[in-house]
């Protein structure tokens, strides 16, 4: 028999996928019930509303990003190598991002009306990425104020690349964005 937390996690994972592929507004609790195999009436045992589910999805974004950054940090001590590993990990999802867009950005946009707390929580993902990039650039000798600006530019490049590649249905656009990120972060600007 499935434990309570297992069903809760299944519902969150199912909701995350449906919100990403179909959109938050058009995904119903009935859709989530059908896709998860959890009866519709049982969803309310775990979540009082779709907005609560959105918060659970936002928590997944943050947890997965924290796990990825911890894995990168443990893999190598060199800041430029860490940044290269980050780009490689982000590039692993290229195909799905071209097909559906960025689930984090979509979540932030879509959750904002019904669940502003979930939108804010999802946005923490970008803060984590910017903070990590900024710290690693700082460790490589770049001034903190410059490192922060470069980190924001890198995340903007990534997100813009996703948006344009998704809109044009052209993976080459996102590949180009990753190359620009690598030049910006790994080759890096001159040290200050």
């Amino acid at each position: 028999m499935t434990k309570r937390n297992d069903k809760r996690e299944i519902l969150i994972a199912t909701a995350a996928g449906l919100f990403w592929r179909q959109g938050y507004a058009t995904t119903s609790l009935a859709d989530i019930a059908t896709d998860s195999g959890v009866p519709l009436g049982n969803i309310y045992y775990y979540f009082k509303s779709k907005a609560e589910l959105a918060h659970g999805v936002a928590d997944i974004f943050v947890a997965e990003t924290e796990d990825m950054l911890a894995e990168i940090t443990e893999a190598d001590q060199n800041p430029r190598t860490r940044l290269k590993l980050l780009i490689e990990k982000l590039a692993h999802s290229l195909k799905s991002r071209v097909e559906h867009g960025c689930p984090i950005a979509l979540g932030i946009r879509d959750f904002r009306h019904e669940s502003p707390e979930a939108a804010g929580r999802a946005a923490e993902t970008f803060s984590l990425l910017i903070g990590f990039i900024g710290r690693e650039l700082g460790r490589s000798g770049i001034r903190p104020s410059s490192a922060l600006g470069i980190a924001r530019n890198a995340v903007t490049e990534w997100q813009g690349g996703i948006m344009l590649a998704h809109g044009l249905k052209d993976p080459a656009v996102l590949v180009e964005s990753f190359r620009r990120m690598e030049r910006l972060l790994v080759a890096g600007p001159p040290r200050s």
Side-chain angles (χ1 to χ4, degrees):
M1 182 161 171
T2 305
K3 295 180 188 174
R4 177 178 189 260
N5 285 343
D6 291 343
K7 281 188 182 176
R8 187 177 196 287
E9 296 306 314
I10 289 167
L11 288 167
I12 292 171
T14 302
L18 289 172
F19 293 165
W20 185 25
R21 291 186 310 275
Q22 295 180 182
Y24 177 76
T26 59
T27 299
S28 68
L29 289 177
D31 294 333
I32 295 166
T34 299
D35 277 28
S36 68
V38 175
L40 179 59
N42 290 6
I43 290 178
Y44 293 102
Y45 179 72
Y46 303 99
F47 300 97
K48 292 180 181 138
S49 65
K50 191 165 83 167
E52 261 190 35
L53 258 169
H55 203 285
V57 169
D59 286 340
I60 286 176
F61 297 155
V62 171
E64 287 179 352
T65 301
E66 288 172 337
D67 291 347
M68 176 184 66
L69 297 177
E71 184 180 318
I72 292 168
T73 300
E74 291 173 19
D76 200 286
Q77 293 300 312
N78 182 294
R80 297 292 181 167
T81 303
R82 286 178 176 177
L83 293 169
K84 185 171 177 55
L85 290 170
L86 174 63
I87 294 166
E88 289 170 4
K89 289 198 175 285
L90 294 176
H92 282 297
S93 61
L94 186 140
K95 184 180 177 193
S96 61
R97 297 305 190 263
V98 171
E99 190 172 334
H100 302 292
C102 178
I104 301 162
L106 293 170
I108 293 167
R109 182 198 67 197
D110 293 350
F111 300 162
R112 198 166 300 269
H113 178 70
E114 270 188 54
S115 184
E117 298 83 15
R121 178 72 168 148
E124 288 177 33
T125 303
F126 292 141
S127 295
L128 287 167
L129 290 168
I130 290 166
F132 176 82
I133 294 167
R135 280 188 303 280
E136 294 306 317
L137 289 171
R139 289 182 60 237
S140 72
I142 296 174
R143 280 189 322 239
S145 60
S146 296
L148 178 61
I150 294 166
R152 287 179 179 152
N153 285 341
V155 172
T156 301
E157 176 69 50
W158 173 54
Q159 284 297 297
I162 292 171
M163 179 72 76
L164 191 57
H166 174 65
L168 298 174
K169 298 294 183 204
D170 185 356
V173 173
L174 190 49
V175 170
E176 291 166 5
S177 286
F178 285 125
R179 283 190 198 125
R180 283 189 294 274
M181 285 176 68
E182 190 164 344
R183 283 193 302 271
L184 181 66
L185 300 178
V186 179
R191 295 169 199 246
S192 52

